[in-house]
Amino acid sequence: MGTLDFLLNGFAVAFQWQNILFAFVGVVIGTAVGVLPGIGPMSGVALLIPITSTLTSGMPVEAAAASSIILLAGVYYGAMYGGSTTSILLNTPGESSSVVTTLDGYQMARQGRAGAALSIAAIGSFFAGIVSLIGLVLLAEPLSRVALKFGPAEYFSLMLLGLCAVSGLAGKSMTKALIMTFSGLLLATIGIDGVSGIARFTYDLPILYSGLEFLTIAVGLFALGEVFKTILERDKESGAIAKIDRIIPTKQDLKDSAVPIVRGSLLGFFIGVLPGAGATLASFFSYIAEKKFSKHPEKFGKGAIEGVAGPESANNAASGGALIPLLTLGIPGSGTTAILMGALIMYNVQPGPLLFNDHPEVAWGLIASMFIGNLMLLVLNMPLVKVFAKIIQTPKKYLLPIIVAISFFGVYAVQYTTFDLYLLLACGFLGYLLAKNDYPLAPLVLALVLGPMIENNMRRALTISNGDFSIFLTRPLSLTFIIIALAWLLIPLLMKFKGRTIVVNEED
Amino acid sequence: MSKTFDRFASITFLLVGLLFVIESRSISQSAYGSTVGPSIFPTALGIILILLSIRLLFETTKYKDQEGTKEPVQYVKFLIIFVSAAIYAAVLEPVGYVISTFIFLLIAFQTMERGKWISTIIIAGAFSFGIYYFFSEFLGGSLPGFPEF
């Protein structure tokens, strides 16, 4: 079967009524998550994992995995759409990749062009979503075929590269990012060792035999951490919301933003494919690029539509691009994709080169559903933008306790243990403290997900080489990955040493 | 960024690393079919974590403390909600989902903002009953619904 046949089969999966519903629910919740300041795509996806797993509990495993990942991915790219709404209307980005949209988007809203800014953001996001999907379709097969030739040594080095890439760009201090990475790897060793069957760090507590649950830690660190932060530091109430008048953009607006949308989409896609460089960097670079290409760079920051069209397209394209290393290599490049990977592993679906062979329903169903989801977002966002803007006014008084209750319900409904609820609360508190002091959380979750695989591949490689560590350096591909991994860590350090400023990726 | 926190954190991470290294020694060394036993990976990670913590501790001596801008922190609200969430976790099984969730939400809503009793009761009630019936009755999941007498 060729790629086209697989894609058509994927559409057959995506067009099942329950999957259309799942995609719809995903993008609507995602948009809401993007609109609500304080809940980012990471905590949104983490919170919904338990809910999707209960919703799909009666279905066969393969279909349940497909439906869940369709919903969760919908939340992910839906949040990228929704994030622009608050940036434009309130000057408060709903999530970190919409920060640059505030620069020109809010200015446009002040000039009475909020509707045009919002619709251009939606159109740009739609176009970018389609571009990144075409890229995904074209690259998925060849990349996973290459990855099939990898041995354990190559896999180990590739995962190391993934971890280094995320740690190298995360947060202000690389030491802190690396500490978080290694803490995550250490936490992943708790439980029964998959190779030898020996219990490690369990202290005869049966609850620890299966290890610390990824879901509990992710929901605690991201969702509860953000809730605690908002409770503790709630001081400023959001200001007045700009009025939305005319939603359809003018011909001039469309003409001005067409090229930035195309440029932003392509740039965002390629940045998204790189591990570690997420949607935030993509939107940031797109803004810089548009300013460079513009004949009137002085207009930027004063309401230039190009400054909305480019970055908004770029952040959506990046979120599509980030799915490529996840699906084809099994290496998540960002916090949110790490959470998506954790969700897939919960369903016994291992992302990676074998995914397209072993679970075509999941892989192609997801890809096809993203076409549908992006179309839904465009149709929903143009007329309903005023409704979504209303979500901003949800009182925090009700929202925050309900998020706590939802995370309790979710974790308990999946784990059925009180232990996980205590762990959840502890992770929430630690998440707040660590994030507040610039300890990035995404590397920890990524390491927790990748930890067992890194260890197993390392041990398998060392078994092949009879304990000789040089196997990682003598195999050319493995050596290449290790060199790139080191470069990812060392180049920012060298640049800092020379006094250059480096762009830091916010978590997304 | 707080220097005190970074110092405290670096020492904590150092102790965590140390704990893992020491505890790894009690894991059986060899495993059948593998030259690399289950203790090597955690030992190596622990050592790296110790080195990184020392580096962080060293870094805290270099930068200036930036505690000038203090935001108002609402400790009392947070403590009430956190403690009631911990109690919520403890009583969820014996008391059941509906009652414990209802009471937790009531306390949390009123802690966030006093007053508007009717709407807090309606929202807390709708959430706890709604989730329970949707999950248990409609989806067939199992939750401890009500206390068993």
Side-chain angles (χ1 to χ4, degrees):
Chain A
M1 277 207 293
T3 304
L4 205 63
D5 297 310
F6 279 118
L7 188 61
L8 286 176
N9 285 344
F11 271 105
V13 174
F15 272 120
Q16 287 165 6
W17 70 268
Q18 78 271 21
N19 287 342
I20 291 182
L21 192 70
F22 272 71
F24 179 76
V25 172
V27 296
V28 170
I29 294 179
T31 312
V33 161
V35 168
L36 288 167
I39 311 177
M42 264 197 289
S43 46
V45 175
L47 263 179
L48 278 167
I49 291 175
I51 294 170
T52 51
S53 77
T54 42
L55 281 176
T56 56
S57 57
M59 293 154 81
V61 179
E62 178 102 2
S67 298
S68 298
I69 198 74
I70 284 172
L71 193 153
L72 296 173
V75 175
Y76 179 32
Y77 57 81
M80 298 290 159
Y81 268 71
S84 58
T85 310
T86 44
S87 292
I88 292 167
L89 295 180
L90 263 181
N91 204 18
T92 322
E95 29 86 31
S96 56
S97 63
S98 296
V99 172
V100 286
T101 311
T102 57
L103 300 176
D104 282 286
Y106 186 62
Q107 292 301 322
M108 284 182 74
R110 284 181 65 184
Q111 294 160 15
R113 290 164 69 208
L118 287 167
S119 57
I120 282 297
I123 293 169
S125 299
F126 173 74
F127 183 81
I130 299 302
V131 165
S132 63
L133 276 169
I134 294 171
L136 189 56
V137 169
L138 293 178
L139 283 176
E141 276 283 312
L143 255 181
S144 53
R145 226 175 299 138
V146 172
L148 274 177
K149 299 200 176 96
F150 289 4
E154 282 80 9
Y155 259 112
F156 170 77
S157 312
L158 184 64
M159 286 178 200
L160 214 59
L161 166 62
L163 281 182
C164 288
V166 172
S167 321
L169 287 173
K172 293 183 183 125
S173 151
M174 198 185 290
T175 317
K176 290 181 182 177
L178 287 173
I179 283 182
M180 297 307 281
T181 309
F182 282 97
S183 304
L185 288 173
L186 274 176
L187 289 180
T189 62
I190 296 175
I192 303 255
D193 168 34
V195 180
S196 61
I198 291 169
R200 294 189 294 189
F201 315 112
T202 54
Y203 304 102
D204 292 327
L205 297 171
I207 201 104
L208 287 177
Y209 284 162
S210 56
L212 296 180
E213 193 53 44
F214 147 81
L215 176 73
T216 311
I217 295 196
V219 173
L221 286 179
F222 296 116
L224 276 195
E226 279 172 36
V227 168
F228 290 164
K229 178 177 189 281
T230 328
I231 294 175
L232 277 162
E233 290 167 11
R234 190 181 74 147
D235 47 348
K236 43 181 186 281
E237 280 297 318
S238 35
I241 296 170
K243 270 221 170 95
I244 309 167
D245 34 16
R246 196 189 131 93
I247 287 172
I248 313 291
T250 61
K251 267 199 182 137
Q252 186 60 40
D253 285 339
L254 284 172
K255 219 177 120 191
D256 287 342
S257 41
V259 182
I261 285 176
V262 175
R263 253 198 305 256
S265 303
L266 294 174
L267 184 75
F269 176 73
F270 287 110
I271 292 178
V273 174
L274 294 175
T280 311
L281 275 192
S283 60
F284 190 78
F285 278 131
S286 163
Y287 190 79
I288 297 172
E290 288 315 319
K291 210 171 169 181
K292 280 232 168 90
F293 280 116
S294 172
K295 282 179 193 137
H296 308 281
E298 71 282 354
K299 276 199 313 185
F300 279 80
K302 292 176 189 143
I305 199 158
E306 297 92 329
V308 175
E312 275 303 314
S313 313
N315 71 32
N316 256 59
S319 61
L323 288 176
I324 290 185
L326 172 70
L327 295 178
T328 57
L329 304 174
I331 307 287
S334 68
T336 319
T337 42
I339 292 175
L340 286 176
M341 179 160 173
L344 283 173
I345 293 172
M346 274 176 60
Y347 284 97
N348 269 330
V349 172
Q350 181 69 46
L354 292 172
L355 177 73
F356 286 85
N357 282 326
D358 294 352
H359 306 281
E361 192 184 333
V362 177
W364 290 103
L366 169 66
I367 292 173
S369 84
M370 286 175 73
F371 277 104
I372 301 169
N374 271 292
L375 195 66
M376 283 176 184
L377 278 171
L378 185 67
V379 174
L380 276 176
N381 271 267
M382 298 289 273
L384 289 185
V385 77
K386 288 183 187 177
V387 179
F388 279 119
K390 281 264 183 319
I391 299 178
I392 303 172
Q393 291 156 320
T394 313
K396 292 229 169 84
K397 170 192 176 184
Y398 297 121
L399 184 68
L400 299 176
I402 281 181
I403 294 176
V404 177
I406 290 177
S407 53
F408 263 58
F409 163 73
V411 165
Y412 190 82
V414 174
Q415 301 302 127
Y416 293 112
T417 63
T418 313
F419 169 80
D420 275 88
L421 295 181
Y422 294 130
L423 181 64
L424 178 76
L425 279 173
C427 285
F429 186 61
L430 281 178
Y432 161 70
L433 278 183
L434 291 170
K436 184 183 156 69
N437 291 290
D438 295 319
Y439 291 78
L441 303 173
L444 188 141
V445 173
L446 188 62
L448 192 65
V449 172
L450 287 182
M453 283 177 265
I454 291 187
E455 186 181 7
N456 286 349
N457 279 300
M458 182 188 91
R459 281 159 73 179
R460 276 170 56 205
L462 289 175
T463 307
I464 295 168
S465 71
N466 271 325
D468 184 2
F469 277 88
S470 69
I471 184 170
F472 300 112
L473 301 176
T474 47
R475 291 182 167 235
L477 251 179
S478 168
L479 180 67
T480 316
F481 291 145
I482 287 182
I483 290 173
I484 301 174
L486 282 176
W488 219 290
L489 291 183
L490 292 177
I491 289 173
L493 276 184
L494 278 176
M495 283 173 71
K496 221 177 197 175
F497 195 66
K498 283 190 172 174
R500 297 264 195 91
T501 45
I502 37 173
V503 188
V504 177
N505 199 21
E506 295 285 323
E507 301 200 319
D508 48 43
Chain B
M1 256 196 301
S2 144
K3 218 173 194 170
T4 329
F5 182 86
D6 280 353
R7 285 210 176 117
F8 178 73
S10 58
I11 292 167
T12 312
F13 282 116
L14 192 132
L15 291 176
V16 170
L18 210 60
L19 180 80
F20 271 92
V21 173
I22 294 168
E23 289 294 313
S24 300
R25 299 178 68 90
S26 60
I27 299 173
S28 131
Q29 287 297 314
S30 69
Y32 174 75
S34 172
T35 46
V36 189
S39 62
I40 288 183
F41 196 66
T43 312
L45 291 176
I47 292 170
I48 299 173
L49 189 63
I50 292 172
L51 294 176
L52 283 168
S53 316
I54 294 171
R55 171 155 177 85
L56 182 65
L57 195 63
F58 177 70
E59 275 177 13
T60 56
T61 58
K62 285 200 294 192
Y63 64 77
K64 281 203 180 126
D65 213 343
Q66 292 179 328
E67 274 198 302
T69 50
K70 273 226 164 122
E71 297 141 34
V73 180
Q74 314 192 46
Y75 289 113
V76 181
K77 267 186 187 173
F78 170 74
L79 258 175
I80 296 175
I81 291 178
F82 191 82
V83 170
S84 41
I87 297 170
Y88 175 29
V91 301
L92 181 66
E93 276 175 0
V95 175
Y97 182 79
V98 180
I99 295 172
S100 57
T101 307
F102 179 75
I103 294 173
F104 167 74
L105 283 179
L106 219 56
I107 295 172
F109 287 157
Q110 287 299 321
T111 313
M112 294 295 293
E113 201 183 304
R114 284 284 180 84
K116 288 188 189 163
W117 275 97
I118 295 172
S119 53
T120 52
I121 289 172
I122 292 174
I123 294 175
F127 182 87
S128 46
F129 276 97
I131 292 277
Y132 177 72
Y133 278 100
F134 180 70
F135 182 70
S136 296
E137 305 294 320
F138 184 70
L139 293 172
S142 74
L143 267 183
F146 292 95
E148 284 173 31
F149 295 112

